[in-house]
Amino acid sequence: MKTLNSAARHQRGASLIEVLVAAAILGFGMLGVAALQSLAMRNSQSSLERSQAVMHGYAILDAMRANAQVADNNGYNMAKTCEAPKGGDLSANDRQRWINSLKSRLGSDACGTIACNAGTCTVTVEWNDSRGTGGLAAQQIAINGRIL
């Protein structure tokens, strides 16, 4: 028959302190994972909004290319506009649809600017991205394109 030394006989299982320390470490690790997931989702939303802003910028440039004669005569030029302009002719309808589309995809704070000069146009899209950037609300993307 084997005999155990006295220290080995008294040590059975884990102590309560060891269990509490392990639970605390596990808890902090889970909080870190949750924070990382939240940050990833926020950055993903911000990335989606940037992609949509670029897509909408190219969409109005394509509409302008389809109506190149009017665009060449500055018929699409528009100062910073946050409210959809009234429709009318083709260029006014294009700008109205563009601003409405910006607002539906990027939020009610979205605005657009179109400035053409000698066949080269700059389309600027602005929106509020405070949720995605963590406080840097005003975001802006400018796209240059040749119409002719």
Side-chain angles (χ1 to χ4, degrees):
M1 190 164 154
K2 292 184 181 178
T3 60
L4 301 171
N5 64 23
S6 65
R9 265 186 283 158
H10 295 292
Q11 189 128 22
R12 297 192 188 269
S15 72
L16 184 59
I17 292 175
E18 290 171 334
V19 171
L20 289 174
V21 168
I25 290 172
L26 182 65
F28 283 124
M30 295 304 267
L31 283 174
V33 168
L36 185 64
Q37 175 124 9
S38 172
L39 183 65
M41 288 179 63
R42 191 170 58 207
N43 288 338
S44 176
Q45 178 66 27
S46 182
S47 175
L48 173 67
E49 289 177 356
R50 284 181 180 277
S51 296
Q52 288 178 340
V54 169
M55 179 192 71
H56 283 84
Y58 281 115
I60 193 66
L61 282 172
D62 287 341
M64 293 166 67
R65 286 185 186 107
N67 196 5
Q69 187 174 15
V70 173
D72 190 40
N73 292 327
N74 300 328
Y76 278 87
N77 283 6
M78 179 174 74
K80 181 178 175 180
T81 303
C82 299
E83 294 300 321
K86 299 248 187 252
D89 61 352
L90 180 59
S91 67
N93 289 340
D94 286 344
R95 287 179 284 145
Q96 180 185 42
R97 279 191 299 272
W98 182 58
I99 293 293
N100 284 334
S101 182
L102 286 178
K103 290 190 163 303
S104 71
R105 296 293 184 178
L106 299 176
S108 61
D109 295 339
C111 301
T113 306
I114 301 172
C116 294
N117 187 14
T120 301
C121 296
T122 301
V123 173
T124 306
V125 177
E126 298 178 30
W127 74 100
N128 181 340
D129 192 24
S130 59
R131 187 177 62 162
T133 58
L136 301 173
Q139 295 294 312
Q140 176 178 327
I141 289 182
I143 300 168
N144 294 318
R146 205 93 184 114
I147 298 302
L148 300 173

